[in-house]
Amino acid sequence: MLLGGLGLILGSFIAALVVRWPEERSVASGRSACDACGRTLRAVELVPLLSAAWQRGRCRGCGAAIDPIHWQVEAAALAIGLSAGWIAPGATAIAGAVFGWLLLALAALDWRAFWLPDRLTVLLAATGLMGAATDLPPSPADRLVGGLLGFGLLWAIAAGYRLWRKREGMGGGDPKLFGAIGLWLGWRMLPAVLLVAALIGLGVVLVRRLAGRPMAADDALPLGTLLAIAAYPAWLMMIEALA
């Protein structure tokens, strides 16, 4: 429950980060305000999830719709905290929640802006290495091989596509993210993460087609988002299998 409550608080911050960072707006300074009218929000309007429900998704001042990314990210952060605490005890649960929350920020940023900030990816990689230093599963050797394999595999695919098609087919942040995921999960989980990410991508394409919005051959999907969505459940399954 404690990790769930912390997830709600961090989810509110992550949502603000996702909305403001691509627009080069400060997240750390200044008071929260309506994105439409600029009115400073009161404390009662900033309660994660509850405020959005109470206000029916609209600003109390101007009536403009509140970006649903706020409650969506808050709900996801709550689920990450609760699931980590349910699956694992103590330090392992805290580490898993941190993994999930960082993935959530990266997934949301890539979905909205096709952007995987190096600072967040490096933080994800660094916390993965810290996990190795504290003897959290998987083993340090598995993590290091996973980091190298994850980065190298996607880098090679991107380079091959560039040579074949004479244009970019993958963002430069995707191999870095997959390498950071490898530092958390180890090399054995990477094929499953990549497969699930691909299946999720196919599902997105199918849903869009059924909704009458077919994708062209050169339309892009945020691979980082797909990898992040696949990686956290993989961590939960790995920890549950080791329990």
Side-chain angles (χ1 to χ4, degrees):
M1 291 298 293
L2 289 176
L3 284 177
L6 182 58
L8 280 176
I9 296 170
L10 289 177
S12 182
F13 173 79
I14 292 170
L17 182 80
V18 170
V19 171
R20 298 181 188 179
W21 198 0
E23 300 174 357
E24 298 184 353
R25 295 161 54 197
S26 174
V27 179
S29 62
R31 298 185 61 184
S32 297
C34 172
D35 292 325
C37 66
R39 181 180 64 88
T40 299
L41 302 179
R42 296 186 301 166
V44 71
E45 298 174 270
L46 296 172
V47 180
L49 289 182
L50 295 180
S51 291
W54 171 54
Q55 296 167 208
R56 298 183 179 180
R58 294 193 172 273
C59 172
R60 296 186 66 212
C62 65
I66 299 172
D67 193 329
I69 193 70
H70 290 281
W71 71 263
Q72 291 168 352
V73 168
E74 290 165 359
L78 169 64
I80 288 168
L82 290 175
S83 59
W86 178 267
I87 290 293
T92 302
I94 295 171
V98 169
F99 179 49
W101 291 328
L102 288 172
L103 287 174
L104 174 61
L106 286 159
L109 282 166
D110 201 28
W111 183 261
R112 284 177 67 98
F114 281 91
W115 182 40
L116 294 169
D118 283 346
R119 278 180 282 181
L120 274 184
T121 306
V122 168
L123 181 58
L124 183 68
T127 50
L129 289 173
M130 288 172 60
T134 55
D135 293 328
L136 293 175
S139 70
D142 281 358
R143 288 176 184 258
L144 291 175
V145 173
L148 293 172
L149 181 62
F151 175 82
L153 177 61
L154 288 196
W155 182 90
I157 292 173
Y161 185 90
R162 192 183 308 116
L163 289 172
W164 177 42
R165 298 295 298 272
K166 308 301 181 185
R167 62 185 175 89
E168 297 292 338
M170 184 186 300
D174 296 319
K176 300 173 189 176
L177 174 60
F178 203 37
I181 289 171
L183 289 172
W184 271 92
L185 299 181
W187 65 271
R188 291 178 175 83
M189 297 296 293
L190 293 184
V193 170
L194 196 56
L195 175 60
V196 172
L199 292 175
I200 294 171
L202 289 174
V204 171
V205 172
L206 178 60
V207 168
R208 289 186 176 181
R209 182 176 293 275
L210 293 175
R213 296 180 295 163
M215 296 185 65
D218 58 350
D219 285 346
L221 280 177
L223 178 58
T225 299
L226 306 178
L227 292 172
I229 291 173
Y232 183 66
W235 180 85
L236 291 175
M237 293 177 62
M238 177 183 70
I239 296 301
E240 187 174 27
L242 293 172

